[in-house]
Amino acid sequence: MNSKWYIPAGAGAGSVASGPNPHGAGSVASGPNRHGAGSVASGPLAVDVTPESAGWSESSLFVVELGAGESVTRASGDDEIVVVPLASSAAVSCGGEEFELTGRASVFDGPSDFAYVGRGSSFTVTSTDGGRFALCGARASTTLPFRYGPVAGVPVELRGAGNCSRQVHNFATADVFEADSIIACEVITPGGNWSSYPAHKHDEDTENESQLEEIYYFEIADGPDGSPGFGYHRVYGTPERPIEVLEEVRSGDVVLVPHGYHGPSIAAPGYHMYYLNVMAGSGPNRAWQICDDPAHTWLRDSWQHQDVDPRLPLHENTSR
């Protein structure tokens, strides 16, 4: 079911990676980014989601692919930005300071260190070996300083049980890392398992729920013979606010969640699934408060009688 909320890899031209943050400059572009000679990445962003292109007001995500020795310079504008290596290492510089991000070989090799860039800042990401880097963004009203987030400070949570077991890297959640509005985490779902389940929503500010726009960015591990992996993701609404997204997802795909219940995210047997969640809302509190689909919330009680998938954690945070 095609939807404007599902953005497949290779969906079209994005903005230029070397320019300032171009709010409203187009939708998502994905697929390989072939840069020519030189030190500046001049091709399109692999992912380019702005509040304007998404049709909402707060959350954004950019993924840039750099060749060896290349760099990209951007302006955060009205956003705060969290720079997270997806593959390889990088140096992030801002305002005369620089942080070296050790990174990781792939998103399936455990959590990563990261850098935080405040609003109204120019910053540069440089990679000696080349790699892929996520720039997670959210509208911010407070300017906070440029900071380093060590991998040793990233809590690794095992959530769920049985075939609903998954591994969560809470690197920039509200209770872990200080920020103005952004909430970001990573989820690893072993092949054959379900995550973002039971389906839940966070689309209004109430006593038990916070209004958050959410971006899902997916990478799927290849099979042992190199065959490309895949999974499925669903978003569905309420009678008052209908939405319906049910899509096969592969590496580089993006699903936007403006409102409604979302889940499950299903990893096909044999193929581990990764997704990066970026959330932000316009409410007064930076908090991830959710409401389950009442038809399925009983599943949480069933986990008490099941063991966590023995494959987890796929990779422990050995720095702690």
Side-chain angles (χ1 to χ4, degrees):
M1 178 182 297
N2 291 325
S3 165
K4 69 176 183 177
W5 307 116
Y6 163 66
I7 307 162
S15 61
V16 175
S18 58
N21 192 345
H23 297 308
S27 61
V28 170
S30 198
N33 190 354
R34 304 302 183 192
H35 304 304
S39 62
V40 177
S42 58
L45 294 165
V47 169
D48 180 7
V49 178
T50 69
E52 290 80 5
S53 69
W56 55 35
S57 63
E58 307 298 325
S59 301
S60 58
L61 176 65
F62 313 95
V63 175
V64 62
E65 296 177 347
L66 299 178
E70 290 186 335
S71 64
V72 58
T73 297
R74 294 181 64 84
S76 62
D78 295 330
D79 295 349
E80 56 185 353
I81 302 289
V82 178
V83 181
V84 184
L86 301 174
S88 196
S89 58
V92 182
S93 58
C94 177
E97 292 185 86
E98 182 174 279
F99 297 128
E100 293 285 344
L101 303 185
T102 302
R104 53 197 167 180
S106 81
V107 294
F108 299 101
D109 291 310
S112 175
D113 51 355
F114 60 94
Y116 172 91
V117 179
R119 69 191 300 272
S121 302
S122 175
F123 65 100
T124 299
V125 181
T126 304
S127 180
T128 300
D129 298 324
R132 187 167 58 258
F133 308 95
L135 315 179
C136 312
R139 289 288 194 258
S141 58
T142 302
T143 302
L144 296 174
F146 183 47
R147 282 171 289 152
Y148 174 72
V151 67
V154 177
V156 177
E157 174 190 0
L158 300 186
R159 189 178 296 171
N163 63 355
C164 291
S165 301
R166 57 271 203 187
Q167 177 176 330
V168 185
H169 304 158
N170 292 303
F171 66 93
T173 52
D175 58 341
V176 170
F177 186 78
E178 181 188 6
D180 181 85
S181 62
I182 194 168
I183 297 173
C185 66
E186 303 174 313
V187 179
I188 307 291
T189 307
N193 285 9
W194 292 35
S195 61
S196 284
Y197 195 66
H200 57 279
K201 74 181 185 77
H202 41 68
D203 58 12
E204 54 185 334
D205 286 313
T206 67
E207 182 179 354
N208 301 311
E209 190 175 340
S210 50
Q211 182 273 324
L212 297 168
E213 306 158 352
E214 184 164 13
I215 301 169
Y216 278 71
Y217 165 77
F218 293 89
E219 294 196 11
I220 314 293
D222 291 341
D225 61 351
S227 55
F230 66 99
Y232 293 91
H233 184 77
R234 184 163 186 222
V235 183
Y236 60 97
T238 61
E240 296 76 23
R241 302 181 73 188
I243 184 173
E244 184 63 42
V245 180
L246 177 58
E247 292 290 348
E248 180 177 302
V249 290
R250 297 179 181 270
S251 288
D253 288 358
V254 171
V255 174
L256 307 179
V257 184
H259 58 84
Y261 294 106
H262 38 290
S265 292
I266 306 169
Y271 302 102
H272 299 327
M273 169 188 282
Y274 163 94
Y275 54 82
L276 170 64
N277 286 145
V278 181
M279 294 169 273
S282 57
N285 299 316
R286 178 177 173 243
W288 184 67
Q289 297 182 167
I290 65 171
C291 288
D292 288 341
D293 182 336
H296 305 299
T297 194
W298 65 268
L299 286 158
R300 294 188 185 275
D301 291 335
S302 72
W303 298 342
Q304 299 176 15
H305 310 291
Q306 302 179 62
D307 294 328
V308 173
D309 189 319
R311 293 175 291 179
L312 294 177
L314 290 183
H315 298 276
E316 294 192 44
N317 187 345
T318 55
S319 297
R320 294 196 293 165

